[in-house]
Amino acid sequence: MIDQQPIRCKALSRLWRPLTRIVEDPQLTQAAAQMEKKVEIFEKLRQALSIALPQGKKALNDDGREADIKSIEQKVTLFRSQMIPDTEAYQKMSAQIDKYWDKLFADPITIDTPSGQVTIQPQRTNNLLERFFRDLKRDSRKRSGTISLNKTLRTILADTPLVKNLDNPEYLEIILDGCKTLEERFEKIDSRLVAETLKAELKNQQKISPEMKKIIRHPDLPDRLIALLAA
């Protein structure tokens, strides 16, 4: 039997030279150092915002810590003024923070409900919307096997995304209205009432007033609209 050890060593020795060139390449070393610096700064931003913390296990599905919005604003203010390097590479980050500052630290909204007042803190990021579209994309790919969602989004009904609300137990309880299943709930819907509502909605969409028809017939309608907008 041929000893495999010399063969393995010879194969590894052939890889040593190209790997050494890669590791010792000055441009690659500089790029890696810059990347590590950016990762360090981004982690400081995550710490300041209390969102998707580096030590967390939920990654992009992290809703963020229940922290006081004023203390978060103070931390981000400190990050914005002292921790972002004053270089061109970080100007876009600074501009984005400044652009959405009011939305990031919006005051809570207090609403009256049958059970009393409820305080709602507006979402500081579009994380929930991004998670929704990730789930939508994943489900679409499983069903169709296609990567692009353009055709799917163009053809689905406008209210289709509301189906995702059924994953919320409180929303589902309201929809069921005492029923155990959606099937049981649908059985209580008056089909005649639904049909009449659909017919009335269809008539409203197709009906155009005589005054609007006269306006549409004007051959110079586009020019008039342009002049009106310019004024």
Side-chain angles (χ1 to χ4, degrees):
M1 183 176 180
I2 301 175
D3 188 3
Q4 298 293 325
Q5 188 67 24
I7 297 177
R8 293 176 181 174
C9 293
K10 188 175 182 180
L12 291 175
S13 64
R14 290 179 179 177
L15 287 173
W16 181 257
R17 180 173 295 180
L19 288 176
T20 302
R21 290 179 179 176
I22 294 174
V23 173
E24 296 180 351
D25 182 86
Q27 292 183 349
L28 183 60
T29 302
Q30 182 180 4
Q34 292 175 351
M35 185 63 68
E36 290 178 355
K37 181 63 177 178
K38 290 182 178 181
V39 170
E40 179 184 350
I41 292 175
F42 183 62
E43 288 188 351
K44 290 181 179 178
L45 176 60
R46 292 160 64 184
Q47 292 280 5
L49 286 171
S50 299
I51 296 177
L53 300 178
Q55 64 270 25
K57 298 181 179 179
K58 295 183 179 180
L60 295 177
N61 294 327
D62 190 355
D63 291 328
R65 293 185 304 182
E66 294 293 335
D68 179 66
I69 196 67
K70 294 301 180 183
S71 64
I72 293 176
E73 184 176 3
Q74 292 175 358
K75 293 178 182 178
V76 177
T77 301
L78 180 64
F79 172 84
R80 173 68 179 83
S81 60
Q82 299 182 10
M83 299 182 185
I84 301 181
D86 188 16
T87 60
E88 185 178 354
Y90 295 93
Q91 287 181 356
K92 290 185 178 180
M93 175 188 288
S94 302
Q96 285 292 100
I97 294 176
D98 295 341
K99 180 179 179 180
Y100 296 104
W101 189 273
D102 293 338
K103 295 181 180 180
L104 284 172
F105 309 111
D107 292 331
I109 302 171
T110 302
I111 61 174
D112 294 324
T113 67
S115 58
Q117 289 188 339
V118 176
T119 301
I120 300 175
Q121 178 62 53
Q123 286 290 318
R124 290 179 284 139
T125 69
N126 59 351
N127 189 23
L128 289 178
L129 190 60
E130 290 179 353
R131 284 159 59 179
F132 166 74
F133 276 105
R134 283 201 300 272
D135 293 341
L136 183 64
K137 182 184 292 184
R138 188 182 301 112
D139 294 340
S140 177
R141 286 177 177 177
K142 287 181 180 180
R143 292 193 305 269
S144 63
T146 58
I147 297 178
S148 176
L149 272 182
N150 290 338
K151 186 176 181 180
T152 302
L153 293 176
R154 291 176 185 276
T155 56
I156 64 175
L157 297 175
D159 293 337
T160 300
L162 295 178
V163 176
K164 290 292 293 182
N165 288 334
L166 296 177
D167 295 335
N168 187 326
E170 296 179 0
Y171 177 85
L172 185 60
E173 183 180 357
I174 295 173
I175 294 298
L176 292 178
D177 193 24
C179 299
K180 295 181 179 180
T181 62
L182 286 173
E183 290 81 0
E184 182 180 346
R185 182 68 181 91
F186 280 124
E187 288 178 358
K188 295 185 176 182
I189 298 176
D190 189 344
S191 59
R192 291 176 299 178
L193 180 61
V194 174
E196 292 175 359
T197 304
L198 290 174
K199 288 181 180 179
E201 184 65 23
L202 185 61
K203 290 181 179 179
N204 292 334
Q205 291 179 355
Q206 293 179 348
K207 186 177 180 181
I208 301 177
S209 64
E211 293 79 7
M212 182 60 66
K213 290 181 179 179
K214 292 180 181 179
I215 295 174
I216 294 174
R217 292 194 187 101
H218 279 289
D220 59 343
L221 177 61
D223 295 333
R224 291 190 178 186
L225 291 175
I226 294 174
L228 180 63
L229 291 173

